[in-house]
Amino acid sequence: QGGQPSSGSGGSPRRRSSRDPTWRPIAPTLVKRFGHAMASVPGGKVYAIGGYENNFYVPIARVSGYDPATNAWAAAPSLGTARGGLAAAVLNGTLYALGGNNHWQLGGALTLVETFTPTAAGGGTWATGTPMRTARAAFGAAAVEGKLLVAGGQDKNYNPLASAEVFDPGSPGTWTAAASMATPRYRHCVAALGTLVYSLSLIHISE
């Protein structure tokens, strides 16, 4: 998830590759934001999704797509619901924007799921997906073995969560409870490698 607010008209994005391990600057983002989500669609673009626009945690719906071939950002279709503290993952070419918070000060954690399948021309439409079982913000998500897994985060009362759930995109798509993490956590990172899912937090140990 995106970090804390930064000064200037946009962030300072970087990229690196396996052939060149040095982080190098890319074109500045179109929107100054933090608490956003990012995900890449294979063979396509990297998307920056939602987030907050200032220190008052005002959620935004704007989405930007980065094209590495042209080193340029372009506006993409906006989310249906403005939110920050969300997670994002790509499964079978579809981009999922998961949960998040639409009003940080009033405990606006969401079960909301929106999906986006980019077109070759760079367009597409966000659609409402199957909501998660648990409202959560500031959590992690990853695609693994043809499914989506979300874990941790904060609930509507800002309590840290240890719970996890899995989405199976089969028709109809359903969320089911998964084994909880040993330690509740939020603002952590989740990633999948092979059949394993890793959760790493600054505050708590990794599992």
Side-chain angles (χ1 to χ4, degrees):
Q1 296 178 352
Q4 295 299 309
S6 61
S7 60
S9 61
S12 300
R14 299 287 190 272
R15 70 178 179 188
R16 71 182 295 276
S17 72
S18 58
R19 297 179 180 178
D20 180 5
T22 302
W23 288 94
R24 301 190 182 280
I26 62 174
T29 57
L30 300 178
V31 181
K32 184 173 70 173
R33 65 177 95 207
F34 70 100
H36 54 287
M38 291 189 70
S40 61
V41 177
K45 299 179 179 180
V46 178
Y47 290 90
I49 307 157
Y52 306 107
E53 64 178 351
N54 55 37
N55 288 331
F56 296 100
Y57 285 84
V58 176
I60 59 177
R62 295 178 66 180
V63 178
S64 302
Y66 173 76
D67 187 341
T70 60
N71 186 32
W73 291 88
S78 294
L79 293 167
T81 298
R83 48 199 161 122
L86 70 165
V90 174
L91 182 63
N92 300 329
T94 296
L95 178 60
Y96 289 76
L98 306 150
N101 198 309
N102 64 352
H103 202 304
W104 187 261
Q105 293 179 331
L106 297 180
L110 303 168
T111 60
L112 177 65
V113 173
E114 293 184 71
T115 63
F116 178 77
T117 302
T119 65
T125 303
W126 287 95
T128 302
T130 305
M132 298 183 296
R133 295 163 55 96
T134 301
R136 59 183 84 223
F139 62 104
V144 58
E145 295 191 304
K147 299 179 181 180
L148 289 179
L149 181 140
V150 300
Q154 289 178 302
D155 65 15
K156 291 185 176 182
N157 296 315
Y158 307 105
N159 298 309
L161 298 169
S163 64
E165 52 191 290
V166 172
F167 177 71
D168 185 339
S171 183
T174 56
W175 289 92
T176 57
S180 295
M181 297 182 293
T183 305
R185 63 186 67 188
Y186 62 98
R187 292 185 181 176
H188 59 296
C189 295
V190 170
L193 181 62
T195 61
L196 294 177
V197 176
Y198 296 82
S199 171
L200 181 64
S201 170
L202 177 65
I203 300 174
H204 300 296
I205 61 171
S206 61
E207 297 176 345

